Amino acid sequence: MIIIIGILVTIVIVLLIYNILIHKKIEQFNSLTRQANNLRVLQDFLSTIGECSSVDEKITKINDILIEKYEIKYSTIVVYDGAEYQVKASNVDKKHWDTLRKLQEVPIFQDSVATATPKYVTVNNENERLPYQEMEFGRAKSAIFFPLYIENVYIGYWIIESGAAHDFDNIDTTIFEVIKDNIVSVLRTVVHQKTLESIVRKDLFTGLYSEEYLYTEGKKSIDKYTTSAVCMFRIANIEEINDKYSRKLGNQVIIQVSDFIKRNIAKEYIFIRYMGPKFVIVFSGVEIDAVTNFISDIKHEIEKMQISLQDEDVEEIEIEQEDQTKNKSKKKENPSVTPKLNFVLTRYYKGTGMEEVLKKLEQYIDNADKSENDITSI
């Protein structure tokens, strides 16, 4: 009997050890599954950064991924833009956005912001509402508030909500901490792009966008194609025109040259003023060989132009009179000038740095002889 009891005890102990090992393996498997899922979500995030154009589009897409992958009822990302808190992405009806963008003012969340820890709130019955809700009862019954920080600087928050009370009571918040960290990583990545978007301007003389446009909105149309032809040109004799005649005439040359190209270039191509007398044309989805003839024609037509000032803009230029007194007098002159253009082209590949391509073109233009006016491929 003792032997039988010993055998049974041994079997029980073995089964207990086996169950413990199985439980650990299941936990390891679940952990690996969560890690794999989080990795897939992170990959989706990274793909979104590359595919979407503007910062706001990227954040909206990321929020959509969170809602789909983690089956979140409501998800809202609020970011401080330097002036005010703005709802950057949300699947909540817009009539509630004014409330959602002021959550940092709600006392129950202020401690969460101060300590950089998430805050879980819920109701106990249908007649209650969450502390931040003003005029709504039925939409959300529980929520988790996550403050967002970049290098210890508070930048906003992410809040997830459910229509059921106590819906997040037993949820593994570790997963959501990982998601929050991924959101912060994406926001950190797009900070520079947002800065670029905010400084994109139109040039007063030409009405063309500045260089930054190519790194933001312009990139959206360029990256629809695998390769594109990028052309930079410089008005090679602009300094001579400014020095010999006047800067006002030089400005008129810049205006008329850019206007001529704007009238003759297809709308799907991008034409910007890069810097001073340097301009960039991006022929999206076009090979260099296909644009060479077009550029040659443009160059030929522009270099036939005779550009002068309007009569009311003509400056008085002091000239020497060939008379007996040899006195100096002032006389109005309205000279005409012909622009000379120096072009350089290269190929841009989708996914590579446009700024590096432009830097290469600019180096060639700047190092070229000032009298050079040609079409060069590099």
Side-chain angles (χ1 to χ4, degrees), residues 64-92:
D64 291 341
I65 292 171
L66 296 177
I67 293 165
E68 177 188 352
K69 300 293 185 182
Y70 295 101
E71 299 180 349
I72 299 170
K73 180 68 173 177
Y74 300 112
S75 176
T76 301
I77 299 173
V78 177
V79 177
Y80 184 66
D81 66 358
E84 61 182 356
Y85 288 88
Q86 292 188 351
V87 175
K88 290 298 183 181
S90 180
N91 64 329
V92 177

PDB file of all heavy atoms in Angstrom, residues 64-92:
ATOM      1  N   ASP A  64      -5.730  54.355 -37.294  1.00  0.00           N
ATOM      2  CA  ASP A  64      -6.584  53.340 -37.939  1.00  0.00           C
ATOM      3  C   ASP A  64      -6.010  51.932 -37.742  1.00  0.00           C
ATOM      4  O   ASP A  64      -6.757  50.965 -37.528  1.00  0.00           O
ATOM      5  CB  ASP A  64      -6.726  53.640 -39.430  1.00  0.00           C
ATOM      6  CG  ASP A  64      -7.536  54.901 -39.705  1.00  0.00           C
ATOM      7  OD1 ASP A  64      -8.275  55.331 -38.788  1.00  0.00           O
ATOM      8  OD2 ASP A  64      -7.424  55.460 -40.809  1.00  0.00           O
ATOM      9  N   ILE A  65      -4.672  51.828 -37.813  1.00  0.00           N
ATOM     10  CA  ILE A  65      -4.020  50.532 -37.611  1.00  0.00           C
ATOM     11  C   ILE A  65      -4.263  50.040 -36.177  1.00  0.00           C
ATOM     12  O   ILE A  65      -4.576  48.867 -35.956  1.00  0.00           O
ATOM     13  CB  ILE A  65      -2.510  50.639 -37.888  1.00  0.00           C
ATOM     14  CG1 ILE A  65      -2.260  50.885 -39.389  1.00  0.00           C
ATOM     15  CG2 ILE A  65      -1.779  49.378 -37.437  1.00  0.00           C
ATOM     16  CD1 ILE A  65      -0.821  51.215 -39.722  1.00  0.00           C
ATOM     17  N   LEU A  66      -4.144  50.937 -35.209  1.00  0.00           N
ATOM     18  CA  LEU A  66      -4.378  50.565 -33.804  1.00  0.00           C
ATOM     19  C   LEU A  66      -5.800  50.045 -33.605  1.00  0.00           C
ATOM     20  O   LEU A  66      -6.015  49.024 -32.952  1.00  0.00           O
ATOM     21  CB  LEU A  66      -4.149  51.782 -32.899  1.00  0.00           C
ATOM     22  CG  LEU A  66      -2.732  52.359 -32.845  1.00  0.00           C
ATOM     23  CD1 LEU A  66      -2.707  53.599 -31.971  1.00  0.00           C
ATOM     24  CD2 LEU A  66      -1.749  51.330 -32.325  1.00  0.00           C
ATOM     25  N   ILE A  67      -6.759  50.747 -34.157  1.00  0.00           N
ATOM     26  CA  ILE A  67      -8.168  50.367 -34.005  1.00  0.00           C
ATOM     27  C   ILE A  67      -8.427  48.993 -34.617  1.00  0.00           C
ATOM     28  O   ILE A  67      -9.116  48.149 -34.033  1.00  0.00           O
ATOM     29  CB  ILE A  67      -9.082  51.431 -34.650  1.00  0.00           C
ATOM     30  CG1 ILE A  67      -8.983  52.749 -33.863  1.00  0.00           C
ATOM     31  CG2 ILE A  67     -10.536  50.960 -34.716  1.00  0.00           C
ATOM     32  CD1 ILE A  67      -9.549  53.937 -34.587  1.00  0.00           C
ATOM     33  N   GLU A  68      -7.815  48.750 -35.793  1.00  0.00           N
ATOM     34  CA  GLU A  68      -8.040  47.475 -36.497  1.00  0.00           C
ATOM     35  C   GLU A  68      -7.309  46.315 -35.824  1.00  0.00           C
ATOM     36  O   GLU A  68      -7.910  45.267 -35.550  1.00  0.00           O
ATOM     37  CB  GLU A  68      -7.585  47.613 -37.949  1.00  0.00           C
ATOM     38  CG  GLU A  68      -7.710  46.322 -38.741  1.00  0.00           C
ATOM     39  CD  GLU A  68      -7.087  46.418 -40.123  1.00  0.00           C
ATOM     40  OE1 GLU A  68      -6.683  47.530 -40.523  1.00  0.00           O
ATOM     41  OE2 GLU A  68      -6.982  45.376 -40.784  1.00  0.00           O
ATOM     42  N   LYS A  69      -6.024  46.486 -35.545  1.00  0.00           N
ATOM     43  CA  LYS A  69      -5.200  45.380 -35.040  1.00  0.00           C
ATOM     44  C   LYS A  69      -5.544  44.989 -33.602  1.00  0.00           C
ATOM     45  O   LYS A  69      -5.460  43.817 -33.237  1.00  0.00           O
ATOM     46  CB  LYS A  69      -3.713  45.746 -35.136  1.00  0.00           C
ATOM     47  CG  LYS A  69      -3.217  46.037 -36.546  1.00  0.00           C
ATOM     48  CD  LYS A  69      -3.246  44.809 -37.426  1.00  0.00           C
ATOM     49  CE  LYS A  69      -2.624  45.092 -38.789  1.00  0.00           C
ATOM     50  NZ  LYS A  69      -2.675  43.916 -39.686  1.00  0.00           N
ATOM     51  N   TYR A  70      -5.912  45.967 -32.781  1.00  0.00           N
ATOM     52  CA  TYR A  70      -6.158  45.688 -31.364  1.00  0.00           C
ATOM     53  C   TYR A  70      -7.633  45.784 -31.001  1.00  0.00           C
ATOM     54  O   TYR A  70      -7.981  45.738 -29.820  1.00  0.00           O
ATOM     55  CB  TYR A  70      -5.327  46.637 -30.495  1.00  0.00           C
ATOM     56  CG  TYR A  70      -3.841  46.407 -30.642  1.00  0.00           C
ATOM     57  CD1 TYR A  70      -3.070  47.241 -31.438  1.00  0.00           C
ATOM     58  CD2 TYR A  70      -3.212  45.337 -30.018  1.00  0.00           C
ATOM     59  CE1 TYR A  70      -1.705  47.033 -31.582  1.00  0.00           C
ATOM     60  CE2 TYR A  70      -1.853  45.126 -30.151  1.00  0.00           C
ATOM     61  CZ  TYR A  70      -1.102  45.967 -30.940  1.00  0.00           C
ATOM     62  OH  TYR A  70       0.240  45.751 -31.097  1.00  0.00           O
ATOM     63  N   GLU A  71      -8.479  45.914 -32.012  1.00  0.00           N
ATOM     64  CA  GLU A  71      -9.936  45.928 -31.823  1.00  0.00           C
ATOM     65  C   GLU A  71     -10.354  46.931 -30.746  1.00  0.00           C
ATOM     66  O   GLU A  71     -11.120  46.620 -29.828  1.00  0.00           O
ATOM     67  CB  GLU A  71     -10.434  44.519 -31.473  1.00  0.00           C
ATOM     68  CG  GLU A  71     -10.146  43.507 -32.574  1.00  0.00           C
ATOM     69  CD  GLU A  71     -10.643  42.116 -32.225  1.00  0.00           C
ATOM     70  OE1 GLU A  71     -11.023  41.906 -31.059  1.00  0.00           O
ATOM     71  OE2 GLU A  71     -10.657  41.246 -33.112  1.00  0.00           O
ATOM     72  N   ILE A  72      -9.825  48.135 -30.864  1.00  0.00           N
ATOM     73  CA  ILE A  72     -10.157  49.216 -29.933  1.00  0.00           C
ATOM     74  C   ILE A  72     -11.424  49.913 -30.429  1.00  0.00           C
ATOM     75  O   ILE A  72     -11.550  50.225 -31.616  1.00  0.00           O
ATOM     76  CB  ILE A  72      -8.993  50.220 -29.834  1.00  0.00           C
ATOM     77  CG1 ILE A  72      -7.735  49.518 -29.300  1.00  0.00           C
ATOM     78  CG2 ILE A  72      -9.352  51.408 -28.950  1.00  0.00           C
ATOM     79  CD1 ILE A  72      -6.478  50.366 -29.386  1.00  0.00           C
ATOM     80  N   LYS A  73     -12.360  50.165 -29.518  1.00  0.00           N
ATOM     81  CA  LYS A  73     -13.612  50.809 -29.896  1.00  0.00           C
ATOM     82  C   LYS A  73     -13.373  52.243 -30.352  1.00  0.00           C
ATOM     83  O   LYS A  73     -13.790  52.643 -31.432  1.00  0.00           O
ATOM     84  CB  LYS A  73     -14.582  50.786 -28.701  1.00  0.00           C
ATOM     85  CG  LYS A  73     -15.930  51.432 -28.963  1.00  0.00           C
ATOM     86  CD  LYS A  73     -16.765  50.658 -29.958  1.00  0.00           C
ATOM     87  CE  LYS A  73     -18.160  51.243 -30.075  1.00  0.00           C
ATOM     88  NZ  LYS A  73     -18.968  50.546 -31.087  1.00  0.00           N
ATOM     89  N   TYR A  74     -12.726  53.020 -29.475  1.00  0.00           N
ATOM     90  CA  TYR A  74     -12.419  54.416 -29.804  1.00  0.00           C
ATOM     91  C   TYR A  74     -10.951  54.683 -29.485  1.00  0.00           C
ATOM     92  O   TYR A  74     -10.461  54.287 -28.425  1.00  0.00           O
ATOM     93  CB  TYR A  74     -13.286  55.383 -28.995  1.00  0.00           C
ATOM     94  CG  TYR A  74     -14.777  55.238 -29.214  1.00  0.00           C
ATOM     95  CD1 TYR A  74     -15.597  54.760 -28.191  1.00  0.00           C
ATOM     96  CD2 TYR A  74     -15.362  55.580 -30.426  1.00  0.00           C
ATOM     97  CE1 TYR A  74     -16.962  54.622 -28.376  1.00  0.00           C
ATOM     98  CE2 TYR A  74     -16.732  55.447 -30.624  1.00  0.00           C
ATOM     99  CZ  TYR A  74     -17.523  54.964 -29.599  1.00  0.00           C
ATOM    100  OH  TYR A  74     -18.876  54.832 -29.791  1.00  0.00           O
ATOM    101  N   SER A  75     -10.289  55.375 -30.374  1.00  0.00           N
ATOM    102  CA  SER A  75      -8.884  55.735 -30.165  1.00  0.00           C
ATOM    103  C   SER A  75      -8.664  57.163 -30.649  1.00  0.00           C
ATOM    104  O   SER A  75      -9.066  57.520 -31.756  1.00  0.00           O
ATOM    105  CB  SER A  75      -7.965  54.774 -30.928  1.00  0.00           C
ATOM    106  OG  SER A  75      -6.616  55.170 -30.809  1.00  0.00           O
ATOM    107  N   THR A  76      -8.024  57.967 -29.802  1.00  0.00           N
ATOM    108  CA  THR A  76      -7.800  59.380 -30.126  1.00  0.00           C
ATOM    109  C   THR A  76      -6.379  59.777 -29.751  1.00  0.00           C
ATOM    110  O   THR A  76      -5.915  59.476 -28.647  1.00  0.00           O
ATOM    111  CB  THR A  76      -8.794  60.284 -29.360  1.00  0.00           C
ATOM    112  OG1 THR A  76     -10.130  59.913 -29.707  1.00  0.00           O
ATOM    113  CG2 THR A  76      -8.569  61.747 -29.699  1.00  0.00           C
ATOM    114  N   ILE A  77      -5.689  60.434 -30.668  1.00  0.00           N
ATOM    115  CA  ILE A  77      -4.338  60.940 -30.425  1.00  0.00           C
ATOM    116  C   ILE A  77      -4.396  62.463 -30.460  1.00  0.00           C
ATOM    117  O   ILE A  77      -4.818  63.058 -31.452  1.00  0.00           O
ATOM    118  CB  ILE A  77      -3.337  60.422 -31.473  1.00  0.00           C
ATOM    119  CG1 ILE A  77      -3.261  58.886 -31.422  1.00  0.00           C
ATOM    120  CG2 ILE A  77      -1.950  61.025 -31.251  1.00  0.00           C
ATOM    121  CD1 ILE A  77      -2.430  58.275 -32.540  1.00  0.00           C
ATOM    122  N   VAL A  78      -3.970  63.083 -29.369  1.00  0.00           N
ATOM    123  CA  VAL A  78      -3.975  64.542 -29.240  1.00  0.00           C
ATOM    124  C   VAL A  78      -2.536  65.017 -29.060  1.00  0.00           C
ATOM    125  O   VAL A  78      -1.802  64.475 -28.219  1.00  0.00           O
ATOM    126  CB  VAL A  78      -4.840  64.998 -28.045  1.00  0.00           C
ATOM    127  CG1 VAL A  78      -4.781  66.518 -27.881  1.00  0.00           C
ATOM    128  CG2 VAL A  78      -6.283  64.540 -28.226  1.00  0.00           C
ATOM    129  N   VAL A  79      -2.117  66.019 -29.828  1.00  0.00           N
ATOM    130  CA  VAL A  79      -0.738  66.495 -29.791  1.00  0.00           C
ATOM    131  C   VAL A  79      -0.720  68.020 -29.639  1.00  0.00           C
ATOM    132  O   VAL A  79      -1.531  68.722 -30.249  1.00  0.00           O
ATOM    133  CB  VAL A  79       0.026  66.094 -31.077  1.00  0.00           C
ATOM    134  CG1 VAL A  79       1.450  66.648 -31.058  1.00  0.00           C
ATOM    135  CG2 VAL A  79       0.060  64.580 -31.218  1.00  0.00           C
ATOM    136  N   TYR A  80       0.207  68.511 -28.832  1.00  0.00           N
ATOM    137  CA  TYR A  80       0.396  69.951 -28.664  1.00  0.00           C
ATOM    138  C   TYR A  80       1.249  70.461 -29.815  1.00  0.00           C
ATOM    139  O   TYR A  80       2.354  69.976 -30.052  1.00  0.00           O
ATOM    140  CB  TYR A  80       1.082  70.233 -27.326  1.00  0.00           C
ATOM    141  CG  TYR A  80       1.231  71.698 -27.003  1.00  0.00           C
ATOM    142  CD1 TYR A  80       0.110  72.495 -26.779  1.00  0.00           C
ATOM    143  CD2 TYR A  80       2.487  72.284 -26.915  1.00  0.00           C
ATOM    144  CE1 TYR A  80       0.240  73.841 -26.480  1.00  0.00           C
ATOM    145  CE2 TYR A  80       2.632  73.626 -26.609  1.00  0.00           C
ATOM    146  CZ  TYR A  80       1.497  74.403 -26.396  1.00  0.00           C
ATOM    147  OH  TYR A  80       1.642  75.745 -26.098  1.00  0.00           O
ATOM    148  N   ASP A  81       0.735  71.451 -30.564  1.00  0.00           N
ATOM    149  CA  ASP A  81       1.434  71.930 -31.762  1.00  0.00           C
ATOM    150  C   ASP A  81       2.285  73.165 -31.505  1.00  0.00           C
ATOM    151  O   ASP A  81       2.782  73.788 -32.452  1.00  0.00           O
ATOM    152  CB  ASP A  81       0.429  72.227 -32.875  1.00  0.00           C
ATOM    153  CG  ASP A  81      -0.493  73.394 -32.550  1.00  0.00           C
ATOM    154  OD1 ASP A  81      -0.387  73.954 -31.443  1.00  0.00           O
ATOM    155  OD2 ASP A  81      -1.329  73.745 -33.409  1.00  0.00           O
ATOM    156  N   GLY A  82       2.482  73.516 -30.239  1.00  0.00           N
ATOM    157  CA  GLY A  82       3.250  74.707 -29.909  1.00  0.00           C
ATOM    158  C   GLY A  82       2.370  75.875 -29.524  1.00  0.00           C
ATOM    159  O   GLY A  82       2.833  76.838 -28.886  1.00  0.00           O
ATOM    160  N   ALA A  83       1.094  75.812 -29.898  1.00  0.00           N
ATOM    161  CA  ALA A  83       0.146  76.867 -29.568  1.00  0.00           C
ATOM    162  C   ALA A  83      -1.062  76.331 -28.820  1.00  0.00           C
ATOM    163  O   ALA A  83      -1.557  76.957 -27.884  1.00  0.00           O
ATOM    164  CB  ALA A  83      -0.297  77.589 -30.836  1.00  0.00           C
ATOM    165  N   GLU A  84      -1.531  75.140 -29.219  1.00  0.00           N
ATOM    166  CA  GLU A  84      -2.710  74.557 -28.591  1.00  0.00           C
ATOM    167  C   GLU A  84      -2.716  73.048 -28.809  1.00  0.00           C
ATOM    168  O   GLU A  84      -1.972  72.524 -29.643  1.00  0.00           O
ATOM    169  CB  GLU A  84      -3.992  75.177 -29.157  1.00  0.00           C
ATOM    170  CG  GLU A  84      -4.150  74.960 -30.656  1.00  0.00           C
ATOM    171  CD  GLU A  84      -5.404  75.614 -31.215  1.00  0.00           C
ATOM    172  OE1 GLU A  84      -6.174  76.170 -30.417  1.00  0.00           O
ATOM    173  OE2 GLU A  84      -5.611  75.553 -32.433  1.00  0.00           O
ATOM    174  N   TYR A  85      -3.570  72.370 -28.056  1.00  0.00           N
ATOM    175  CA  TYR A  85      -3.731  70.929 -28.227  1.00  0.00           C
ATOM    176  C   TYR A  85      -4.702  70.673 -29.375  1.00  0.00           C
ATOM    177  O   TYR A  85      -5.773  71.283 -29.451  1.00  0.00           O
ATOM    178  CB  TYR A  85      -4.253  70.291 -26.939  1.00  0.00           C
ATOM    179  CG  TYR A  85      -3.221  70.251 -25.840  1.00  0.00           C
ATOM    180  CD1 TYR A  85      -3.072  71.319 -24.970  1.00  0.00           C
ATOM    181  CD2 TYR A  85      -2.377  69.146 -25.698  1.00  0.00           C
ATOM    182  CE1 TYR A  85      -2.108  71.293 -23.967  1.00  0.00           C
ATOM    183  CE2 TYR A  85      -1.413  69.114 -24.701  1.00  0.00           C
ATOM    184  CZ  TYR A  85      -1.284  70.187 -23.843  1.00  0.00           C
ATOM    185  OH  TYR A  85      -0.322  70.157 -22.865  1.00  0.00           O
ATOM    186  N   GLN A  86      -4.304  69.771 -30.274  1.00  0.00           N
ATOM    187  CA  GLN A  86      -5.126  69.457 -31.435  1.00  0.00           C
ATOM    188  C   GLN A  86      -5.359  67.955 -31.527  1.00  0.00           C
ATOM    189  O   GLN A  86      -4.445  67.171 -31.283  1.00  0.00           O
ATOM    190  CB  GLN A  86      -4.455  69.947 -32.726  1.00  0.00           C
ATOM    191  CG  GLN A  86      -4.381  71.456 -32.847  1.00  0.00           C
ATOM    192  CD  GLN A  86      -3.898  71.873 -34.229  1.00  0.00           C
ATOM    193  OE1 GLN A  86      -3.458  71.052 -35.031  1.00  0.00           O
ATOM    194  NE2 GLN A  86      -3.983  73.162 -34.517  1.00  0.00           N
ATOM    195  N   VAL A  87      -6.587  67.585 -31.893  1.00  0.00           N
ATOM    196  CA  VAL A  87      -6.897  66.180 -32.161  1.00  0.00           C
ATOM    197  C   VAL A  87      -6.291  65.838 -33.522  1.00  0.00           C
ATOM    198  O   VAL A  87      -6.747  66.315 -34.551  1.00  0.00           O
ATOM    199  CB  VAL A  87      -8.410  65.925 -32.158  1.00  0.00           C
ATOM    200  CG1 VAL A  87      -8.699  64.480 -32.559  1.00  0.00           C
ATOM    201  CG2 VAL A  87      -9.007  66.218 -30.791  1.00  0.00           C
ATOM    202  N   LYS A  88      -5.240  65.026 -33.507  1.00  0.00           N
ATOM    203  CA  LYS A  88      -4.556  64.669 -34.747  1.00  0.00           C
ATOM    204  C   LYS A  88      -5.191  63.462 -35.421  1.00  0.00           C
ATOM    205  O   LYS A  88      -5.100  63.310 -36.642  1.00  0.00           O
ATOM    206  CB  LYS A  88      -3.075  64.383 -34.463  1.00  0.00           C
ATOM    207  CG  LYS A  88      -2.281  65.618 -34.109  1.00  0.00           C
ATOM    208  CD  LYS A  88      -2.263  66.610 -35.244  1.00  0.00           C
ATOM    209  CE  LYS A  88      -1.416  67.825 -34.952  1.00  0.00           C
ATOM    210  NZ  LYS A  88      -1.438  68.796 -36.061  1.00  0.00           N
ATOM    211  N   ALA A  89      -5.802  62.580 -34.626  1.00  0.00           N
ATOM    212  CA  ALA A  89      -6.444  61.398 -35.199  1.00  0.00           C
ATOM    213  C   ALA A  89      -7.479  60.878 -34.208  1.00  0.00           C
ATOM    214  O   ALA A  89      -7.208  60.817 -33.012  1.00  0.00           O
ATOM    215  CB  ALA A  89      -5.414  60.316 -35.508  1.00  0.00           C
ATOM    216  N   SER A  90      -8.652  60.515 -34.712  1.00  0.00           N
ATOM    217  CA  SER A  90      -9.695  59.979 -33.841  1.00  0.00           C
ATOM    218  C   SER A  90     -10.800  59.374 -34.698  1.00  0.00           C
ATOM    219  O   SER A  90     -11.097  59.860 -35.793  1.00  0.00           O
ATOM    220  CB  SER A  90     -10.272  61.089 -32.958  1.00  0.00           C
ATOM    221  OG  SER A  90     -11.281  60.575 -32.116  1.00  0.00           O
ATOM    222  N   ASN A  91     -11.399  58.292 -34.197  1.00  0.00           N
ATOM    223  CA  ASN A  91     -12.585  57.739 -34.849  1.00  0.00           C
ATOM    224  C   ASN A  91     -13.854  58.112 -34.081  1.00  0.00           C
ATOM    225  O   ASN A  91     -14.920  57.551 -34.305  1.00  0.00           O
ATOM    226  CB  ASN A  91     -12.473  56.213 -34.987  1.00  0.00           C
ATOM    227  CG  ASN A  91     -12.440  55.504 -33.643  1.00  0.00           C
ATOM    228  OD1 ASN A  91     -11.943  56.048 -32.664  1.00  0.00           O
ATOM    229  ND2 ASN A  91     -12.950  54.281 -33.611  1.00  0.00           N
ATOM    230  N   VAL A  92     -13.713  59.074 -33.162  1.00  0.00           N
ATOM    231  CA  VAL A  92     -14.859  59.601 -32.421  1.00  0.00           C
ATOM    232  C   VAL A  92     -15.507  60.711 -33.244  1.00  0.00           C
ATOM    233  O   VAL A  92     -14.818  61.452 -33.947  1.00  0.00           O
ATOM    234  CB  VAL A  92     -14.405  60.147 -31.045  1.00  0.00           C
ATOM    235  CG1 VAL A  92     -15.571  60.765 -30.290  1.00  0.00           C
ATOM    236  CG2 VAL A  92     -13.764  59.040 -30.225  1.00  0.00           C
TER     237      VAL A  92
END
